[in-house]
Amino acid sequence: IINNYLDGTQGGAVDKASPSGMHFRDSKRKVDYVLAYHYRKHLARHSPGVASPEPTHRSTSLALVSNGGTKKGRAAPQQQDGGQRVPQEQPGLPGIEVIELGPLDALEEEKRLQREEYERNLLEAGLEIEKDPENKSQGLSFVRIHAPWQVLSREAELLKIKMPTKKMYEITEEAGILKTLNEIWCKLTEPLQPQVPQQENTNMKTLSYPFSREKIYLYNIKDKDTFFDNATRSRIVREILKRTSTKARNSMGIGTLIANNVYDAAYPLHDGEYEGQNNDMNERKLLYREWARYGAFYKFQPIDLIRKYFGEKIGLYFAWLGLYTEFLIPSSVVGIIVFLYGCITIESDIPSKEMCDQRNAFTMCPLCDKFCDYWNLSSACATARASHLFDNPATVFFSIFMALWATMFLEQWKRLQMRLSYFWDLTGLEEEEEHPRPEYETKLLQKKLKNKSITTENSNENEKEKLTWSDRMPGYAANFGLILFMIMLTFSAVFGVIAYRITTAAALSFSTNETTRSNVRVTVTATAVIINLVVILILDEIYGAVAKWLTEIEVPKTDKAFEERLILKAFLLKFVNSYAPIFYVAFFKGRFVGRPGHYVYVFDGYRMEECAPGGCLMELCIQLSIIMLGKQLIQNNLFEIGIPKLKKLFRKLKDERTEPKEMDTNQSKDPQQWDLDYTLEPFTGLTPEYMEMIIQFGFVTLFVASFPLAPLFALLNNIIEVRLDAKKFVTELRRPDTVREKDIGIWYDILSGIGKLSVIINAFVIAVTSDFIPRLMYQYAYSQNGTMHGFINHTLSYFNVSHLKAGTQPENSPFAQDVLFCRFKDYREPPWSQNQYEFSKQYWAVLSARLAFVILFQNLVMFLSVLVDWMIPDIPKDISEQIKKEKSVLVDFFLKEEHEKLKLIESFIARDKQKHKSGTKGERIRAASFCQFNRSQKGSFASFSSQHTEV
């Protein structure tokens, strides 16, 4: 071991795996981070006419010199600091060995040199490194990194990481009835609480303050090895890895090196195994037992432990998902009540009874040309009765309820977010300056090289420091064009399904089988929805990849900018993809059909499809339920479970194929924690997790008027989803880097936008798609006795069958001679009117009422939403008071500590003076230095105090 660097060739006694799998081989220093890479030792090819030395096991590749040549001589088995091999001359050889490197070997050598330089730079930054021996011709090797106390304390100060001080203060509890209710609630939910370690005194909170080495006496440091937890240690090491650069290719940080395949992966270690025979309990095992199993579905989430293990960003996601799932419980209950109301009132619904009454002989016009006969409206009885389950006055109330529910959910989330920010010490969190992405740096380097070749020495250097809009213009143009193309592709897919429905309906209508013809609508609807679902699932996967590629060609500077742009693109494409077929059924189907004798035709003679006699709401409900349930079952669960397992299997097979089966005597038989974690799937971000929940939130809120059971299905899915995500994070993914975030970012704005859009869409669904407004208008404007009797007859217009176009009349109709007039659903003038088949006065009256309802509903719900928003404060009152209290406690604590330090120094000086009344010159200097120290401390505190007041 040289300078804490364990070289691969130093085998023997040192090369012994740590028993815990979490430490260096000395079993003392903790592994804070791991770098993994594949190496390949090249085979030497000798120049003709040059004597070949005898083959030895230790002959290795020679380092390339800067001008591209090779150093002559054989490589010694020893390595110097940083792992560089030292070439030596070989005495007694008839010639000199000249190694010719092939293209692959040269690339491998370049990677090795980059790794050595990078690791040397890490050592200079103060980190300690341990490497695996490279004793195969090719294989996988690990670099383990440990951060000593000096590095941790330095970086914690630079990153302004808040750490617990010695001071604890009391949290003011709620008094009165709220306290009593809270105690009762805690008692009732005790069996649902996870069995994880809790703070002994929940009424006390530790005062936290950004770490400072000057004020180290303030912090509660019992053990330097455990003061910084594993998540904080790995975060500090990651920051060093990100900013450490190498000269080769001007690479900046570990991200660039991984992008250039110098390293395969970089990750912090999990805290041991999550299941096993040993009784050693770690946080990972505890999370698995109490949270990440399906058997723990009834328990609350241990949010504080999740945050401690995975970091604030992932902790906030699971807190948000938990709150969303809890909020689905009341909406599910109300949805079930609305559905049951429809079931109970179905027998007393007059319009559906009139439709089902055989005595009301409403002879309807043919549904298609030539092959369809006249039919009786009573044959659509089942559809009408089913439509009432979802098309009743209770759905209007439910729509208003869900709009207010969405507002209350967002308000409650803001309050919970603030509460978590306080307890997780995120209240004063500042935006950290992020390191540029490797792709951004590469693009910037290309620009600099290009500018150097075409500009003079007097060129303005400031222009080269960043990419301008003109550099990004090709990326923006490609983004605009491709997003537009993708949206058009979605519309084309919807149009293709419409074409399928029209042609299939026409084809089945020609069938001689009576059963087939009677079930045309059901068959076409069911198969079309399944096709829609398959298309949506396929396009979703394509759009995810396209959105990522489009964001990459934009070249955002930081990871945060990259993530936000990716989210917006992916959401736009997936939103259009998921909801386009539903929007079509809700607002466009059956609106452009025409009328008997003047139908709208597409595809050379095919009539546009119409809504069922009971309206399009029932079909909208079927479409929504199948797409929602299908997406949740297939995409959110099967894909989420299956794809990671397939990727893991593929990577395992790839590693087995690339690594030769050589005996490795130095390696321990039992795989270490870094080996086990390397086989896990890398963490790629929370975007897919949030995205599926946001799309589900859209299904729950946007079209809830047509499907009151949507919240119930979402709740059942989310109970599984929480545990599925938990299991994935604990058992199937490498441990993510901890990221400190005080909110969920752009996702909140998207949720808020969906909430506002849902009000408008539900207003149009009730007004346009359902029969709520026509029924209301009939009852209060046209009915003679104020009841719904005669409503069906009122909504059906007359058509003279002699006015049918030649060639469109039903062929071989048994009662064609008896039918003079047929009926169709529309508000039009009768054939005996002067303006025959024109829109009637009732049509315009109903249309006006529809538009008036949309305006009234929208403004009423928006007003109520704003009222709820205003009534519920964003910051809970108790948290607001605690934040103020924390500030005053912090000031008092610093004053007290400074005062005690002053007293200590003064007592020391006084004692010194008493001992040596006639002090020497040296003693006087020492006393003066203490006074100077005293003054500097006062100054530092004054600066802190002013800074604190400003905050």
Side-chain angles (χ1 to χ4, degrees):
I1 300 174
I2 305 168
N3 190 15
N4 300 311
Y5 182 96
L6 183 69
D7 178 58
T9 57
Q10 304 283 338
V14 187
D15 192 19
K16 195 174 181 181
S18 68
S20 67
M22 301 290 296
H23 294 79
F24 277 16
R25 290 183 175 91
D26 59 11
S27 297
K28 292 177 183 177
R29 290 175 292 174
K30 191 180 287 184
V31 176
D32 295 319
Y33 224 85
V34 174
L35 307 179
Y37 65 91
H38 278 89
Y39 64 88
R40 177 176 170 272
K41 294 179 180 177
H42 69 261
L43 300 171
R45 292 179 296 172
H46 304 282
S47 298
V50 178
S52 173
E54 58 183 13
T56 60
H57 177 68
R58 284 201 177 271
S59 63
T60 54
S61 60
L62 297 183
L64 288 171
V65 294
S66 59
N67 61 7
T70 56
K71 292 184 180 179
K72 297 177 175 63
R74 253 179 78 192
Q78 296 88 5
Q79 290 184 3
Q80 289 200 356
D81 179 20
Q84 289 206 68
R85 294 174 176 82
V86 182
Q88 294 180 349
E89 292 182 9
Q90 304 300 319
L93 290 177
I96 295 171
E97 181 184 2
V98 178
I99 297 176
E100 295 176 0
L101 298 180
L104 279 175
D105 293 332
L107 183 64
E108 198 63 39
E109 188 70 15
E110 187 186 346
K111 287 180 185 177
R112 185 182 66 78
L113 290 172
Q114 282 192 63
R115 282 195 293 269
E116 289 175 357
E117 185 192 351
Y118 185 69
E119 288 157 22
R120 241 189 344 266
N121 293 343
L122 292 180
L123 289 171
E124 287 172 10
L127 296 176
E128 296 174 3
I129 288 177
E130 181 180 77
K131 286 189 77 172
D132 278 341
E134 296 181 6
N135 48 15
K136 295 181 183 179
S137 60
Q138 61 180 28
L140 177 67
S141 190
F142 295 97
V143 178
R144 293 174 288 283
I145 301 169
H146 168 77
W149 170 258
Q150 294 85 349
V151 174
L152 291 171
S153 56
R154 180 191 74 210
E155 295 297 322
E157 188 172 347
L158 286 171
L159 295 170
K160 299 177 183 175
I161 297 174
K162 282 189 175 182
M163 298 305 294
T165 62
K166 294 173 185 174
K167 177 69 177 174
M168 292 187 79
Y169 66 96
E170 190 177 359
I171 298 171
T172 310
E173 285 189 328
E174 294 171 335
I177 193 167
L178 285 173
K179 185 181 179 182
T180 312
L181 288 171
N182 191 41
E183 286 174 356
I184 294 167
W185 174 251
C186 290
K187 204 76 177 170
L188 289 171
T189 58
E190 198 172 338
L192 307 179
Q193 297 294 340
Q195 301 299 311
V196 296
Q198 299 286 346
Q199 190 181 326
E200 290 178 8
N201 191 351
T202 53
N203 296 335
M204 301 295 288
K205 184 179 183 293
T206 307
L207 187 68
S208 295
Y209 183 71
F211 189 80
S212 169
R213 285 174 292 179
E214 285 184 4
K215 298 181 178 66
I216 201 162
Y217 55 88
L218 300 175
Y219 302 96
N220 189 19
I221 304 173
K222 293 176 183 175
D223 183 359
K224 286 185 176 180
D225 290 336
T226 57
F227 179 64
F228 295 104
D229 60 19
N230 291 350
T232 309
R233 293 174 73 99
S234 63
R235 179 187 165 208
I236 286 169
V237 175
R238 180 73 183 189
E239 284 298 319
I240 297 170
L241 292 174
K242 281 162 75 174
R243 69 166 186 252
T244 304
S245 60
T246 57
K247 291 176 185 175
R249 295 193 184 179
N250 196 33
S251 63
M252 181 71 180
I254 189 66
T256 313
L257 293 172
I258 291 174
N260 294 335
N261 296 316
V262 175
Y263 290 102
D264 289 347
Y267 53 91
L269 291 180
H270 276 293
D271 286 0
E273 294 185 35
Y274 62 89
E275 56 183 357
Q277 302 302 320
N278 59 337
N279 294 323
D280 296 337
M281 183 56 69
N282 58 59
E283 288 181 351
R284 188 188 188 194
K285 189 179 283 187
L286 193 61
L287 281 169
Y288 179 73
R289 192 184 71 188
E290 295 296 325
W291 177 56
R293 294 183 303 113
Y294 294 116
F297 75 93
Y298 62 92
K299 291 186 178 183
F300 290 119
Q301 298 185 91
I303 292 296
D304 289 325
L305 186 60
I306 296 165
R307 169 253 177 175
K308 185 184 174 188
Y309 192 80
F310 292 111
E312 284 76 9
K313 190 172 184 177
I314 292 171
L316 282 172
Y317 164 70
F318 280 105
W320 174 84
L321 182 58
L323 183 71
Y324 172 49
T325 305
E326 286 171 21
F327 256 72
L328 284 171
I329 296 170
S331 60
S332 300
V333 171
V334 177
I336 292 167
I337 292 168
V338 168
F339 180 72
L340 291 175
Y341 171 82
C343 295
I344 293 163
T345 57
I346 195 166
E347 295 300 329
S348 59
D349 182 49
I350 296 169
S352 58
K353 284 168 80 174
E354 284 186 352
M355 271 186 79
C356 296
D357 193 352
Q358 298 282 351
R359 291 170 296 178
N360 293 331
F362 294 117
T363 305
M364 306 298 290
C365 296
L367 293 171
C368 64
D369 295 343
K370 289 176 72 175
F371 298 98
C372 297
D373 201 355
Y374 302 105
W375 56 287
N376 202 313
L377 187 61
S378 59
S379 63
C381 173
T383 312
R385 288 171 68 86
S387 293
H388 178 73
L389 298 174
F390 305 103
D391 189 1
N392 57 66
T395 55
V396 180
F397 156 75
F398 191 52
S399 298
I400 297 171
F401 170 81
M402 286 305 290
L404 297 178
W405 172 88
T407 306
M408 287 190 70
F409 164 61
L410 292 174
E411 285 302 307
Q412 191 60 32
W413 168 245
K414 278 196 282 189
R415 289 168 65 81
L416 177 61
Q417 195 170 253
M418 199 64 216
R419 191 175 291 276
L420 292 175
S421 292
Y422 166 68
F423 284 106
W424 292 354
D425 298 316
L426 300 171
T427 44
L429 186 68
E430 298 174 7
E431 288 287 327
E432 295 176 8
E433 189 177 346
E434 287 191 75
H435 297 285
R437 294 172 64 250
E439 293 81 0
Y440 179 87
E441 288 182 329
T442 307
K443 188 86 173 173
L444 198 61
L445 182 64
Q446 289 171 357
K447 183 183 177 182
K448 284 179 181 178
L449 293 171
K450 187 179 176 183
N451 286 353
K452 273 183 185 177
S453 62
I454 60 172
T455 57
T456 61
E457 292 180 0
N458 297 325
S459 61
N460 188 2
E461 290 292 326
N462 292 330
E463 290 180 2
K464 301 177 189 178
E465 289 178 2
K466 62 179 181 179
L467 296 179
T468 59
W469 67 270
S470 56
D471 298 315
R472 290 199 171 103
M473 187 50 72
Y476 290 150
N479 267 264
F480 179 76
L482 266 172
I483 288 172
L484 202 62
F485 171 75
M486 290 296 167
I487 291 171
M488 295 308 295
L489 181 65
T490 304
F491 290 152
S492 302
V494 174
F495 190 71
V497 175
I498 294 168
Y500 163 81
R501 291 158 74 116
I502 292 170
T503 52
T504 308
L508 292 176
S509 301
F510 301 156
S511 174
T512 53
N513 191 327
E514 184 63 32
T515 311
T516 307
R517 277 189 296 176
S518 60
N519 295 321
V520 166
R521 197 178 293 276
V522 177
T523 308
V524 169
T525 301
T527 53
V529 171
I530 291 165
I531 291 168
N532 257 328
L533 175 62
V534 172
V535 169
I536 286 170
L537 292 175
I538 293 168
L539 288 180
D540 251 5
E541 297 304 313
I542 294 169
Y543 288 168
V546 167
K548 190 176 180 183
W549 180 74
L550 286 173
T551 312
E552 283 171 355
I553 63 173
E554 259 189 79
V555 201
K557 185 175 182 179
T558 61
D559 285 327
K560 188 173 182 181
F562 180 88
E563 188 180 33
E564 286 185 351
R565 293 182 188 189
L566 174 62
I567 288 166
L568 283 173
K569 288 181 190 63
F571 174 72
L572 175 64
L573 292 171
K574 292 191 176 188
F575 181 89
V576 173
N577 183 40
S578 297
Y579 299 121
I582 298 167
F583 268 91
Y584 164 71
V585 173
F587 304 122
F588 297 101
K589 187 178 178 182
R591 311 284 166 207
F592 312 103
V593 178
R595 59 169 179 81
H598 197 271
Y599 284 114
V600 176
Y601 290 91
V602 290
F603 307 125
D604 194 25
Y606 290 104
R607 266 164 52 176
M608 281 292 287
E609 56 179 347
E610 302 177 45
C611 288
C616 272
L617 200 71
M618 188 62 204
E619 194 171 332
L620 177 62
C621 174
I622 294 167
Q623 184 105 1
L624 191 66
S625 58
I626 291 178
I627 290 175
M628 181 182 174
L629 294 174
K631 267 181 74 68
Q632 287 185 167
L633 183 66
I634 298 169
Q635 194 174 42
N636 297 6
N637 295 327
L638 292 181
F639 282 12
E640 210 163 324
I641 295 167
I643 289 175
K645 289 189 183 296
L646 288 172
K647 283 182 177 178
K648 188 178 176 180
L649 180 66
F650 176 74
R651 195 165 56 250
K652 188 179 177 184
L653 291 171
K654 185 182 175 184
D655 287 343
E656 285 176 359
R657 193 168 64 251
T658 54
E659 285 194 28
K661 293 181 181 178
E662 297 178 22
M663 288 299 291
D664 190 355
T665 54
N666 292 332
Q667 285 286 344
S668 171
K669 287 182 180 178
D670 295 326
Q672 296 294 298
Q673 191 60 47
W674 46 84
D675 295 306
L676 295 171
D677 285 7
Y678 180 75
T679 61
L680 299 176
E681 191 69 19
F683 174 68
T684 54
L686 286 169
T687 302
E689 318 301 333
Y690 272 115
M691 189 65 73
E692 65 188 56
M693 287 297 105
I694 298 290
I695 296 293
Q696 186 203 78
F697 183 78
F699 281 120
V700 167
T701 54
L702 291 177
F703 295 94
V704 77
S706 63
F707 190 39
L709 295 178
L712 175 65
F713 288 119
L715 173 65
L716 295 173
N717 174 78
N718 283 14
I719 291 169
I720 301 166
E721 181 70 27
V722 171
R723 305 302 157 180
L724 183 67
D725 281 351
K727 191 175 183 183
K728 185 170 75 174
F729 273 87
V730 173
T731 67
E732 293 173 6
L733 293 178
R734 291 177 194 155
R735 189 171 183 171
D737 293 301
T738 55
V739 179
R740 285 176 74 80
E741 292 281 359
K742 57 184 177 183
D743 53 39
I744 59 171
I746 197 170
W747 294 112
Y748 180 84
D749 300 322
I750 292 172
L751 282 166
S752 182
I754 290 174
K756 289 177 174 60
L757 184 64
S758 69
V759 177
I760 301 164
I761 289 175
N762 279 306
F764 275 100
V765 167
I766 295 165
V768 177
T769 314
S770 77
D771 274 342
F772 177 73
I773 300 299
R775 289 185 184 203
L776 215 61
M777 283 291 292
Y778 177 77
Q779 188 172 356
Y780 295 105
Y782 298 110
S783 177
Q784 294 176 354
N785 52 9
T787 64
M788 292 301 294
H789 289 287
F791 173 71
I792 298 296
N793 186 50
H794 177 75
T795 57
L796 297 174
S797 299
Y798 285 92
F799 181 76
N800 190 334
V801 296
S802 62
H803 294 164
L804 284 170
K805 286 183 179 178
T808 62
Q809 298 96 336
E811 290 182 350
N812 306 318
S813 175
F815 43 84
Q817 303 298 324
D818 304 327
V819 177
L820 295 175
F821 298 99
C822 66
R823 311 292 292 272
F824 62 100
K825 192 174 182 181
D826 208 348
Y827 291 103
R828 289 182 181 268
E829 296 287 350
W832 52 82
S833 169
Q834 288 183 351
N835 304 315
Q836 60 178 9
Y837 308 132
E838 295 291 323
F839 287 119
S840 62
K841 289 178 182 177
Q842 288 93 327
Y843 171 84
W844 298 110
V846 169
L847 182 64
S848 304
R850 288 184 199 270
L851 296 174
F853 174 83
V854 168
I855 295 164
L856 181 67
F857 180 90
Q858 183 182 330
N859 285 287
L860 173 67
V861 175
M862 287 290 188
F863 169 74
L864 292 173
S865 298
V866 170
L867 189 66
V868 168
D869 190 356
W870 175 75
M871 287 174 66
I872 303 173
D874 291 351
I875 304 173
K877 189 178 178 182
D878 60 324
I879 296 297
S880 180
E881 289 172 359
Q882 294 300 334
I883 291 169
K884 289 175 187 173
K885 184 179 178 180
E886 188 176 58
K887 288 178 181 179
S888 63
V889 168
L890 191 63
V891 173
D892 293 342
F893 176 57
F894 268 85
L895 281 170
K896 186 182 175 185
E897 288 290 336
E898 292 288 327
H899 184 63
E900 285 179 3
K901 193 168 28 166
L902 270 170
K903 280 172 69 178
L904 187 69
I905 293 165
E906 284 169 1
S907 65
F908 181 83
I909 294 168
R911 204 163 54 243
D912 200 43
K913 281 181 179 178
Q914 284 174 3
K915 274 187 181 181
H916 309 283
K917 288 182 180 179
S918 56
T920 61
K921 185 180 177 183
E923 287 169 338
R924 286 200 297 273
I925 290 167
R926 187 171 59 179
S929 69
F930 271 114
C931 293
Q932 181 64 36
F933 173 74
N934 178 10
R935 283 196 296 272
S936 70
Q937 290 298 321
K938 281 182 180 177
S940 68
F941 177 68
S943 67
F944 157 75
S945 184
S946 64
Q947 203 175 26
H948 178 77
T949 310
E950 188 183 337
V951 171

